[in-house]
Amino acid sequence: MFNEVILIGKLANKPVIKSTTNGIKMATAIIEVERPYRNNLGIREIDHVHCVLWKSLAEMVNDCCDIGSFVGIKGRIQSRSYENESNQSISTMEVKVENVCFVEKYMIDHSF
C-alpha cells in the first residue's frame, strides 16, 4: 500500500496553531488547490484540502505564511472520526503534512 500526497496551492486561512496537553505544537490549515480542468462554464473549480502540521512545521507555516501564500506540501491522507457538540459522529479526511516548501506565485503562473 502507498499513501503519499503532493499538493501545490494557496492558503485559504491563517494557520490556527495550538498546543497539545504535552506542549507539542500543531496547526490546522486549509489549502485551496485548483483542479487541472475547467468545468462546462470554463471555470477551474477549487478543492479545499484540510491539513494538519506538527511541531516545527506548524510554527514555520504559522510564522512565514498568510492567507493567499502559495505552498507545496507533501504528506499522507488520514481519516478520523469524532463527535461534535450535538453528539453526532463526524468522519473526516485530512492531509498530515510531512514537508512544506514555499512556492513563488511566478512559478505557478508560468508552469508548463
Side-chain angles (χ1 to χ4, degrees):
M1 306 259 186
F2 190 69
N3 182 354
E4 186 170 61
V5 175
I6 298 172
L7 298 170
I8 297 176
K10 63 181 179 177
L11 288 178
N13 66 321
K14 179 73 175 163
V16 178
I17 194 163
K18 300 177 185 177
S19 293
T20 66
T21 55
N22 296 336
I24 298 172
K25 302 280 190 202
M26 65 92 60
T28 56
I30 299 172
I31 296 179
E32 296 178 341
V33 180
E34 278 189 357
R35 294 183 182 174
Y37 54 86
R38 298 180 189 278
N39 65 16
N40 57 354
L41 300 174
I43 299 170
R44 288 186 190 250
E45 294 179 11
I46 296 173
D47 291 308
H48 294 82
V49 181
H50 291 258
C51 300
V52 178
L53 303 102
W54 290 93
K55 300 178 182 176
S56 61
L57 281 180
E59 293 181 45
M60 179 181 67
V61 171
N62 185 61
D63 293 343
C64 299
C65 295
D66 240 331
I67 295 172
S69 294
F70 281 88
V71 294
I73 63 163
K74 179 182 171 195
R76 60 186 170 81
I77 295 176
Q78 184 170 316
S79 62
R80 65 181 177 93
S81 298
Y82 62 94
E83 284 189 9
N84 66 9
E85 308 83 36
S86 304
N87 293 326
Q88 295 174 315
S89 181
I90 306 293
S91 295
T92 186
M93 295 187 87
E94 53 202 12
V95 175
K96 301 293 183 189
V97 178
E98 299 167 352
N99 196 2
V100 175
C101 63
F102 304 108
V103 181
E104 297 283 333
K105 184 171 178 358
Y106 177 85
M107 293 174 66
I108 300 294
D109 291 342
H110 296 87
S111 62
F112 296 93

